[in-house]
């Protein structure tokens, strides 16, 4: 029996595994299994959860958006698409997200809000110090970075193009958050290309 393709989606800040982007991916990739966990607030706990899912589920590709792009970038050895990645979460949180925040989509545990304090910010600072330590020639071939040309939130194109190469970066007509059209016309063709070419099923876990 042929195995269905699997996609791991990593959501952004204040979101969840039931976001609109997840629903869009499932609608357009109806033959795929889209795995989309709710992430813990603590960054090291979130990354541990994601690495455990990769080890157990062996997804064909990972898609991470914003904060999720920061996590996805560190899931070494697997094809991944990082969309408008936010690599300085500590700064973003410190200037505008401290205190109580509300989740923008439904969480499996029923939580509707969460708190960001100095301890959480410090945990992100710790992660940021080592988040690119695994980048090498092999990893460069496994990452595609997408950047909205009208993104008012973050712009890490200069950093990513330096680390991974300009050829691994694609600009699209859009802002920070994905919509149905961008998922369908930009993200999904890259997902299909990963599976079809470059020995995408021969990566290491």
């Amino acid at each position: 029996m042929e195995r269905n393709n699997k996609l791991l989606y990593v959501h952004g800040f204040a979101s969840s595994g039931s976001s609109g982007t997840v629903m869009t991916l499932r609608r357009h990739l109806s033959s795929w299994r889209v795995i989309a966990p709710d992430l813990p607030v603590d960054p090291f706990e979130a990354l541990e959860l994601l690495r455990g899912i990769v080890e157990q589920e062996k997804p064909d590709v990972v898609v991470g958006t914003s904060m999720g792009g920061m996590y996805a970038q560190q899931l070494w050895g697997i094809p991944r698409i990082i969309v408008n990645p936010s690599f300085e979460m500590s700064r973003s949180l410190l200037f505008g997200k401290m205190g109580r925040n509300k989740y923008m989509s439904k969480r499996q545990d029923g939580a509707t809000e969460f708190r960001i304090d100095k301890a959480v910010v410090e945990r992100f600072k710790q992660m940021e110090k080592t988040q690119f330590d695994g980048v090498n020639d092999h990893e460069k071939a496994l990452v595609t970075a997408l950047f909205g040309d009208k993104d008012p939130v973050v712009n890490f194109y200069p950093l990513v193009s330096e680390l991974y190469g300009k050829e691994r970066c694609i600009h699209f007509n859009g802002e920070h958050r994905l919509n149905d059209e961008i998922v369908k016309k930009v993200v999904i063709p890259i997902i299909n290309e990963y599976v079809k070419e470059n020995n995408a099923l021969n990566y290491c876990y």
Side-chain angles (χ1 to χ4, degrees), residues 54 74-80 138-139 142 202-205:
V54 168
Q74 299 177 75
L75 297 178
W76 315 115
I78 182 172
R80 50 211 191 273
H138 176 69
E139 293 299 330
L142 294 176
N202 294 327
Y203 36 75
C204 301
Y205 289 96

Side-chain angles (χ1 to χ4, degrees), residues 73-191:
Q73 191 271 153
Q74 299 177 75
L75 297 178
W76 315 115
I78 182 172
R80 50 211 191 273
I81 301 166
I82 57 175
V83 186
N84 293 325
S86 183
F87 295 124
E88 294 181 357
M89 283 301 300
S90 61
R91 180 182 294 271
S92 298
L93 297 177
L94 197 58
F95 296 98
K97 301 296 183 182
M98 298 296 289
R100 184 179 300 174
N101 293 268
K102 290 189 175 183
Y103 286 114
M104 295 182 291
S105 53
K106 187 177 180 180
R107 305 268 295 190
Q108 289 186 0
D109 62 4
T112 58
E113 61 182 33
F114 62 101
R115 285 188 64 82
I116 297 295
D117 56 22
K118 290 183 178 179
V120 174
V121 172
E122 185 59 34
R123 293 283 280 175
F124 274 101
K125 284 183 180 179
Q126 293 174 20
M127 177 171 286
E128 288 161 11
K129 292 177 182 178
T130 60
Q131 63 181 321
F132 302 115
D133 284 0
V135 178
N136 55 34
D137 288 343
H138 176 69
E139 293 299 330
K140 291 177 182 180
L142 294 176
V143 168
T144 297
L146 306 181
F147 299 93
D149 57 11
K150 300 178 181 65
D151 185 350
V153 181
V154 294
N155 179 18
F156 284 100
Y157 169 77
L159 175 61
V160 176
S161 62
E162 180 181 352
L163 286 171
Y164 285 95
K166 293 182 179 179
E167 68 277 8
R168 308 306 304 176
C169 301
I170 298 172
H171 284 90
F172 63 89
N173 181 21
E175 298 188 5
H176 188 68
R177 300 182 67 182
L178 293 177
N179 58 36
D180 188 273
E181 182 178 6
I182 294 169
V183 171
K184 182 179 180 180
K185 294 184 177 181
V186 179
V187 180
I188 289 179
I190 298 172
I191 292 171

